[in-house]
Amino acid sequence: MALKEKIGLVCLLCLFCVGCKTSPDATANDNNTGSPRIINIINFIRQTDYRVENADSLLYETVCEQVKLVNKYDLPATFLLQYDALINPLYQDLLKGKLNAHSEIGAWWELTQPQIEAAGIKWRGEHSWVSHANIAFSTGYSKEERERLVDVYMEKFKEIFGTYPKSVGSWFIDAHTLAYMYDKYQIVASCNCKDQVGTDGYTLWGGYWNQAYYPSRVNAYMPAQTKEGQIPVPIFRMLGSDPIYQYDDGLGQERQGVISLEPVYEKAGMDRRWVDYFLESIVNQPCLAFNYAQAGQENSFTWSNMSKGLEMQIPILDSLRKENKIRVETLGESGKWFKERFEVTPVTAVTTLTDIRGEGNKTVWFNSRYYRANLLWEKGTFRFRDIHLFDENYKSAYLDEPGDGNQFLFYTLPVVDGFMWSEGMERAGLRLVRLDKDGGKEELTLDNPVVTEIGKDTLVVSAEDPEGHPFEITFYETRFEVLSLSKEVGFSWALELKVTAGKELPFTIIEDKAINASFDGFNYVIACEKGHIKESVSGSDYVFRILPSDKEIIIDCTNAK
């Protein structure tokens, strides 16, 4: 499997190291807005990698250089040890003796031959580390085996560093393992991979976009809605995805590409222009409760490939920190802050109103514990590109039984899926249309959007169509509203879902006030609090329309059945 493909999956994790102190940034002002902009520098460590010639020495050299770089700027960073690296005295001495005092050492939860065998389990890989999901990740083992694997790692970590780690991360950790780590070892933070489809066989799609969430006790990819239903360990989303372009990248192919903050990508994290564009969104645009990004890189990519990008990024982060625009802190510190601030998953947003490609594209992501939604302005068009609902009762297939094969698949509940329901240049979405009295229609764009935060949990997007009719789209924790402020008599409009023909959709019954749906055997409801839903008729080019009442549409996203 190509090393560049593996980059797309980088999920990092941090653990609190012995004697570490709170970083200077942990007490920084919240960007003067009450909404902090948090950066974790996370570098995770493998001992070896069969894909890399002279891997052991090159991977060790990479970590040495990463330590020098964060020490040079006295920045807190998180170094995450895979078990094979944890038991290597070279890494123990390096991190104990050379790493600055306000960095942390943690665990990276990819499973290797030494850890598997230490837990009394037979190793099934061709090499001492492989990327197959049923071998390298906890989803491939029984519940009892998962617990033994945790115990083996934690006891070895404590033997070496004198304490249990406080943060654990991976491309993905199943809910049973995560809950066990919390209940027995009191971890405070975790992290998992960004949304992606098929990269290295790993699909995580429809989740809480970027930022962080409390997972369901039966599905670690699904945000919980209640305190009782959640594992009280915040999971931070990794890799710093491009808010506009990552979502559609690789559409029509078996796997997505990667457009992220990872410093090995020439057209993303290695490109100063892209980094400035990305950080503009993280640092300066509306985000509600907080904004977040993960920097850093796994050592498998080696120093020669990451040095240019990382040595460019770190001084930028240091400058932003000194200007009090961001907090650079460890994952453990971010997890502690999150738990002190939020009892349940908060409402957040990611706003990107500038376009690195100069095409005028824009996007707004909204997240709550009930749903996520994405607005996209693209080449003169406008649509809801994505809406997924969250339900803590949607049980993961891997909760009780191990998965087979080299893939794992995690989804939430689709309402609009602009990737899965698209093909080629025919892009799925919930579009705004003007209707005329003769039954014709015209797709409307919304120009010059203005995004406004109302308190910590409400986001308003205001814009006008080409004829000057103003619209407001308001996102609340449990619902979203689309309101026309037009004074034109007879101005008629609707939201209309269009998808590529032949796509399998989850909708089972479409009624005036609700759409019943079923995904992976789980039933859910999209409720129309205000307005009316009309199913398409034969020959129509849409799936359904939502028509306003008194110029307004209100969609309930709580899955209230």
Side-chain angles (χ1 to χ4, degrees):
M1 202 164 289
L3 186 56
K4 286 191 175 180
E5 293 174 8
K6 184 60 187 151
I7 284 197
L9 300 179
V10 177
C11 290
L12 295 103
L13 131 173
C14 307
L15 296 162
F16 198 60
C17 100
V18 181
C20 59
K21 57 188 179 183
T22 302
S23 76
D25 301 289
T27 55
N29 291 334
D30 290 351
N31 201 40
N32 299 319
T33 67
S35 301
R37 318 303 165 108
I38 298 171
I39 303 292
N40 291 159
I41 301 170
I42 304 177
N43 302 304
F44 78 76
I45 303 170
R46 296 190 181 107
Q47 156 65 30
T48 193
D49 191 320
Y50 66 91
R51 303 165 301 179
V52 180
E53 188 176 355
N54 300 320
D56 290 26
S57 61
L58 286 177
L59 270 58
Y60 177 73
E61 174 198 27
T62 298
V63 181
C64 290
E65 295 298 329
Q66 290 172 331
V67 168
K68 290 179 185 177
L69 186 59
V70 297
N71 285 349
K72 177 180 179 180
Y73 293 92
D74 198 29
L75 286 169
T78 298
F79 286 83
L80 312 174
L81 288 161
Q82 201 167 261
Y83 187 86
D84 57 356
L86 172 68
I87 61 177
N88 185 334
L90 282 175
Y91 286 108
Q92 297 169 18
D93 293 344
L94 172 65
L95 297 179
K96 284 181 178 181
K98 299 292 180 63
L99 186 59
N100 66 58
H102 37 267
S103 288
E104 66 178 351
I105 306 167
W108 180 250
W109 212 249
E110 285 185 23
L111 306 172
T112 62
Q113 185 172 0
Q115 183 178 1
I116 294 295
E117 293 180 343
I121 304 169
K122 183 179 179 180
W123 176 248
R124 293 171 279 134
E126 298 178 3
H127 309 277
S128 62
W129 168 84
V130 294
S131 61
H132 298 308
N134 66 326
I135 299 175
F137 299 94
S138 57
T139 54
Y141 298 86
S142 70
K143 283 186 171 181
E144 186 270 339
E145 288 173 332
R146 296 173 199 181
E147 293 177 7
R148 283 156 53 192
L149 289 165
V150 172
D151 291 339
V152 162
Y153 188 100
M154 293 296 185
E155 291 307 320
K156 179 60 68 172
F157 190 96
K158 186 175 183 181
E159 175 188 319
I160 295 167
F161 293 108
T163 187
Y164 295 125
K166 295 299 182 184
S167 309
V168 182
S170 177
W171 303 138
F172 193 82
I173 303 175
D174 71 280
H176 180 79
T177 297
L178 197 65
Y180 185 75
M181 290 174 172
Y182 172 76
D183 292 337
K184 187 170 182 178
Y185 298 101
Q186 292 78 55
I187 68 168
V188 300
S190 187
C191 57
N192 67 20
C193 189
K194 65 176 175 61
D195 264 32
Q196 63 182 36
V197 176
T199 307
D200 282 352
Y202 315 149
T203 291
L204 300 98
W205 193 249
Y208 195 98
W209 201 86
N210 204 46
Q211 322 302 46
Y213 66 97
Y214 288 118
S216 163
R217 284 194 169 272
V218 301
N219 187 338
Y221 186 60
M222 181 71 75
Q225 288 72 59
T226 66
K227 287 183 65 176
E228 297 74 22
Q230 71 188 20
I231 302 171
V233 175
I235 297 177
F236 291 78
R237 304 303 304 275
M238 299 183 64
L239 304 182
S241 294
D242 188 305
I244 296 175
Y245 293 107
Q246 175 63 57
Y247 184 96
D248 294 318
D249 196 66
L251 186 61
Q253 303 175 23
E254 290 185 1
R255 65 178 64 89
Q256 288 186 306
V258 181
I259 310 174
S260 76
L261 193 58
E262 295 168 272
V264 295
Y265 289 110
E266 293 183 0
K267 296 182 179 180
M270 193 187 292
D271 180 357
R272 173 63 188 262
R273 288 181 63 250
W274 186 93
V275 171
D276 287 343
Y277 144 83
F278 177 80
L279 291 175
E280 159 65 21
S281 175
I282 297 296
V283 174
N284 295 322
Q285 296 299 319
C287 66
L288 296 172
F290 74 102
N291 219 336
Y292 174 80
Q294 173 260 315
Q297 188 73 69
E298 64 190 90
N299 65 337
S300 283
F301 287 102
T302 73
W303 186 245
S304 63
N305 291 313
M306 73 179 71
S307 58
K308 179 181 178 181
L310 208 55
E311 288 176 336
M312 174 266 291
Q313 288 184 20
I314 294 300
I316 295 173
L317 299 178
D318 182 51
S319 295
L320 291 171
R321 175 184 68 152
K322 289 175 178 176
E323 294 170 10
N324 207 32
K325 292 182 176 181
I326 63 172
R327 293 183 352 203
V328 180
E329 57 192 29
T330 65
L331 180 59
E333 290 168 338
S334 298
K336 182 175 183 292
W337 169 83
F338 190 98
K339 291 187 70 174
E340 290 173 350
R341 178 71 68 93
F342 309 114
E343 290 189 348
V344 293
T345 298
V347 175
T348 64
V350 177
T351 306
T352 304
L353 301 181
T354 58
D355 182 3
I356 181 63
R357 300 182 184 178
E359 298 175 2
N361 299 335
K362 305 174 180 67
T363 199
V364 174
W365 286 92
F366 178 88
N367 299 291
S368 81
R369 57 190 159 132
Y370 294 99
Y371 72 107
R372 81 175 192 184
N374 176 234
L375 303 179
L376 179 69
W377 291 259
E378 182 182 35
K379 298 178 180 177
T381 66
F382 166 79
R383 69 186 186 274
F384 283 79
R385 179 168 57 171
D386 186 280
I387 303 172
H388 279 75
L389 303 189
F390 304 143
D391 192 312
E392 65 189 25
N393 299 305
Y394 177 33
K395 183 177 176 181
S396 166
Y398 310 111
L399 179 67
D400 298 319
E401 300 294 334
D404 296 325
N406 63 354
Q407 299 188 60
F408 57 64
L409 307 171
F410 287 91
Y411 300 99
T412 60
L413 306 173
V415 178
V416 177
D417 195 321
F419 186 87
M420 297 295 189
W421 302 346
S422 297
E423 192 169 316
M425 296 308 297
E426 187 176 357
R427 302 301 170 90
L430 192 63
R431 300 175 184 272
L432 184 66
V433 295
R434 179 171 186 168
L435 307 175
D436 63 38
K437 60 183 179 180
D438 298 321
K441 67 179 181 181
E442 175 190 2
E443 184 177 329
L444 295 178
T445 61
L446 292 181
D447 300 324
N448 303 315
V450 175
V451 182
T452 307
E453 299 168 282
I454 307 297
K456 286 297 182 72
D457 60 3
T458 304
L459 194 74
V460 179
V461 180
S462 305
E464 294 184 346
D465 72 12
E467 295 184 1
H469 302 112
F471 283 83
E472 284 186 355
I473 301 172
T474 305
F475 295 102
Y476 300 93
E477 183 177 41
T478 61
R479 68 191 189 279
F480 68 87
E481 303 176 358
V482 182
L483 172 66
S484 168
L485 299 173
S486 175
K487 296 180 180 180
E488 179 183 324
V489 177
F491 178 62
S492 180
W493 59 278
L495 292 176
E496 186 176 273
L497 178 63
K498 297 184 68 174
V499 306
T500 298
K503 295 294 181 179
E504 184 177 353
L505 303 179
F507 313 121
T508 56
I509 302 174
I510 298 177
E511 301 175 320
D512 181 67
K513 285 293 186 179
I515 299 173
N516 292 275
S518 181
F519 181 82
D520 191 28
F522 188 87
N523 298 327
Y524 56 106
V525 176
I526 304 101
C528 185
E529 287 188 2
K530 190 171 184 180
H532 303 276
I533 305 169
K534 288 190 176 181
E535 189 172 5
S536 64
V537 296
S538 178
S540 299
D541 64 348
Y542 61 91
V543 180
F544 59 76
R545 279 178 178 165
I546 309 175
L547 300 162
S549 295
D550 298 326
K551 301 183 178 183
E552 188 173 28
I553 292 170
I554 301 178
I555 302 298
D556 183 305
C557 295
T558 62
N559 192 24
K561 299 173 184 176

